[in-house]
Amino acid sequence: MTNYEYAKQAYAALGVDTEAALTKLATIPVSIHCWQGDDVVGFDGSDAASGGIQTTGNYPGRARTPEELMADIKLAFAQVPGKKRLNLHASYALLGADKGKVDRDAYRPEHFAPWVRFAKEIGLDGIDFNPTCFSHPMVKEGLTLSSPDKEVRDFWIRHCIASLRITEYLAKEMGKPALMNIWIPDGFKDVPADRLGPRLRLKDSLDQILAAGYDKDLVVIAVESKVFGIGVESYTVGNNEFYQNYAAKNDICCLLDNGHYHPTECVSDKIPALLAFYDKVALHVTRGVRWDSDHVVTFEDELKEIAKEIVRSDATDKVLIGLDYFDASINRLAAWATGARNMQKALLYALLCPHKMLSSLQDKGDFTKLLVYQEEIKTLPLGAVWSEYLARQGVKDLDWIDTVLAYEKDVLVNRT
Ligand code: RNT
Ligand code: ZN
C-alpha cells in the first residue's frame, strides 16, 4: 500500500474523500504578489518602500528589472502547485519611452501589456492590481487620499482612477475578473488634533474614485484597513471601522490583511462575520511577528484557521485569497514559494477536515467529543495527501529547494 492509499483510508474512516479534496484544491485560485521578488521597490523610480512598510535584509539577488522579476516569478511560481494569479502594483509599470514623462496619475493599460503577455505565457489564472499610494514624492506629510492639500488628494484620486482602467484592461485581457485593492499609508506618528477631518477627506476621495465608474463584471474594488504602521503609530485614517462601513455603504469589498489588526484579533474569525453581509471578501495572507512585519507565511495555526473558515463556509469562490509578505533576508524565490505552498497546504488541510461531522457535534452541544476529534485530526496523514497533490500537479516535493538554489548559484549571485 502506498502512503497515499493509507492516508486515503485514514481520512475515509472519518468520512473525508481525499480525491474530492484534491480535485477541489486544484480549482481554488491564489493571487501571488509580485513584490516579494524586489523588496517592494517597483520600476518607476523609488529605491525602497516607504510609508509604514519596510523590508529588512540584504540577501543577494534582488530583481532590478522587469526581465529579472519575470524570470524569478516564473521559477518561483513553478514550485507552487494549484491555480495561480499574479498580484501587481502600479509601481511595476513598464513605462518604456514614457519613463520620466508620465507620472502615476497618468499610467495607462499599455504600460502593463508585457505583464499580460507574461501571465498568459506561464499560464496564470488572472492578474490583480493595486494602486501604489506610497514610495512617491506626492505622499506629503505621510498623507495621500486624506491629505488636507487638494492637489495631493487629486493626484492620488487620478492615480486610483487610472488604476481602475488598468484593472479593467487586465481583467478583459486575461478573461477573468480582477481585484483592485486600495491601501494607503495615511496616518500620524503622534496623537492627532483632528481624527475626523482626514477620514471625511478620505471618504470624499473614495467617492470621487467610485464616481468614475467601472465595469462591475470585470473589477472588484477592495479597501484594506490597518491598525498602525512604523512611523504612524498613533492614528491610521483607514482603520477597520472606517473601511468596513465605507465598503458596506458603497457596495465594494473589504480586504483583510492578517498583519493589520491588534495581535490577539484573528482574521479567521472576521471572514465568516463579513460573509454574512458581503458577496466577496479579499485577503492578504501574511505573518506578522510582533508587528506587521510581513514574514513569510508558515504553516501555523492561524493560517489553518483562515483556510478552514474559507472552506467550511463554502466560500472558495467568495474569498479572494492573496498573499502579502516580503522577506529580503533569505533567498527571495524560496520565500515566495514557501509561503505560497503553505497557503495551498493549509487549504488542503481544511479540505480534509470532516466539517459536517464536527459542526453537528457543536450543534448537539457535544463539546467533549468535538474537542477530542479536533485534536486527533491534527495528526492525520496530511503529508501523504500533499505529496500526492504535488505529484499530480507536476511540482517537486522537498527537492524543489535544489532547483531554487541552483538558480541562485547560476543567476542571482551575478546581480551585484
Ligand atoms: C501595507 C499593506 C499593503 C502592502 C502591499 C505592498 O501594510 O499590507 O497591502 O503590503 O500593497
Ligand atoms: Zn496588505
Side-chain angles (χ1 to χ4, degrees):
M1 200 194 295
T2 64
N3 285 347
Y4 175 64
E5 282 160 357
Y6 163 76
K8 194 174 172 176
Q9 285 182 12
Y11 282 104
L14 286 173
V16 173
D17 179 351
T18 54
E19 285 299 317
L22 291 178
T23 306
K24 178 78 185 177
L25 181 56
T27 68
I28 306 173
V30 174
S31 192
I32 309 179
H33 52 314
C34 71
W35 53 89
Q36 162 63 59
D38 77 330
D39 309 343
V40 210
V41 175
F43 305 129
D44 67 351
S46 93
D47 45 19
S50 58
I53 49 175
Q54 228 168 295
T55 46
T56 49
N58 56 356
Y59 200 82
R62 188 183 83 78
R64 299 155 304 175
T65 64
E67 294 71 31
E68 288 179 355
L69 188 60
M70 285 181 196
D72 293 0
I73 288 175
K74 193 169 175 182
L75 195 86
F77 284 28
Q79 315 311 320
V80 181
K83 210 177 227 188
K84 295 171 281 276
R85 298 169 61 87
L86 178 64
N87 203 359
L88 283 181
H89 245 282
S91 52
Y92 293 81
L94 295 153
L95 296 170
D98 284 337
K99 195 153 190 161
K101 292 187 202 146
V102 172
D103 208 345
R104 283 190 193 162
D105 59 338
Y107 285 2
R108 297 187 305 275
E110 69 207 58
H111 298 133
F112 294 87
W115 282 113
V116 170
R117 278 197 295 279
F118 171 72
K120 285 182 180 165
E121 179 199 310
I122 66 165
L124 299 181
D125 184 54
I127 304 182
D128 298 304
F129 199 72
N130 305 260
T132 311
C133 305
F134 54 86
S135 311
H136 190 280
M138 277 304 272
V139 181
K140 304 273 191 203
E141 309 293 340
L143 303 175
T144 64
L145 293 173
S146 77
S147 168
D149 181 342
K150 185 170 183 307
E151 213 187 304
V152 172
R153 288 200 308 280
D154 286 349
F155 176 85
W156 293 109
I157 291 168
R158 287 194 303 275
H159 174 56
C160 289
I161 295 172
S163 296
L164 207 38
R165 299 297 160 249
I166 294 161
T167 314
E168 282 175 331
Y169 158 82
L170 296 171
K172 221 180 278 166
E173 285 293 317
M174 296 302 294
K176 293 280 161 93
L179 177 71
M180 183 182 96
N181 173 53
I182 301 174
W183 173 75
I184 58 168
D186 300 32
F188 296 117
K189 182 183 172 86
D190 225 322
V191 184
D194 176 11
R195 292 173 191 268
L196 179 60
R199 289 186 174 136
L200 292 177
R201 291 192 291 268
L202 174 56
K203 183 167 173 255
D204 180 67
S205 295
L206 293 170
D207 288 348
Q208 290 188 52
I209 295 162
L210 297 186
Y214 64 103
D215 186 340
K216 288 198 172 184
D217 291 331
L218 293 178
V219 177
V220 173
I221 298 185
V223 279
E224 178 180 7
S225 73
K226 187 161 172 171
V227 66
F228 86 96
I230 298 287
V232 283
E233 288 85 356
S234 297
Y235 169 83
T236 297
V237 184
N239 66 352
N240 181 60
E241 290 70 17
F242 176 88
Y243 278 136
Q244 276 194 11
N245 282 290
Y246 189 87
K249 291 209 167 193
N250 292 280
D251 198 21
I252 59 168
C253 170
C254 288
L255 184 142
L256 314 178
D257 180 315
N258 59 310
H260 288 193
Y261 296 88
H262 289 285
T264 57
E265 279 185 87
C266 293
V267 158
S268 53
D269 186 53
K270 298 179 193 297
I271 294 169
L274 292 190
L275 284 172
F277 296 95
Y278 289 86
D279 179 46
K280 293 266 187 289
V281 177
L283 299 182
H284 270 181
V285 179
T286 188
R287 180 168 57 105
V289 176
R290 310 210 183 276
W291 72 290
D292 181 32
S293 58
D294 289 299
H295 276 64
V296 175
V297 168
T298 54
F299 192 62
E300 36 83 45
D301 285 350
E302 174 59 359
L303 181 70
K304 289 183 233 174
E305 285 305 312
I306 287 172
K308 274 158 65 179
E309 290 304 336
I310 298 168
V311 167
R312 68 189 179 197
S313 309
D314 197 18
T316 52
D317 55 347
K318 292 184 174 175
V319 179
L320 310 174
I321 305 170
L323 306 177
D324 182 13
Y325 50 85
F326 27 95
D327 193 334
S329 75
I330 55 172
N331 179 300
R332 292 172 184 78
L333 283 82
W336 239 331
T338 299
R341 285 169 67 105
N342 280 330
M343 185 70 241
Q344 289 275 328
K345 202 184 280 179
L347 288 165
L348 178 61
Y349 178 82
L351 288 161
L352 293 173
C353 285
H355 300 295
K356 280 213 178 84
M357 185 255 276
L358 296 174
S359 62
S360 82
L361 290 175
Q362 174 177 318
D363 290 346
K364 280 190 278 186
D366 193 346
F367 298 112
T368 307
K369 212 166 170 185
L370 178 58
L371 175 68
V372 170
Y373 271 93
Q374 282 188 323
E375 286 308 295
E376 294 299 334
I377 281 164
K378 289 180 179 171
T379 49
L380 285 174
L382 170 73
V385 187
W386 173 246
S387 292
E388 178 68 16
Y389 180 60
L390 292 174
R392 290 187 193 183
Q393 289 270 322
V395 170
K396 288 188 177 174
D397 222 315
L398 182 58
D399 47 352
W400 68 269
I401 188 59
D402 300 337
T403 310
V404 169
L405 293 179
Y407 182 76
E408 172 173 320
K409 206 158 144 263
D410 295 343
V411 179
L412 300 181
V413 291
N414 302 319
R415 295 179 188 167
T416 47

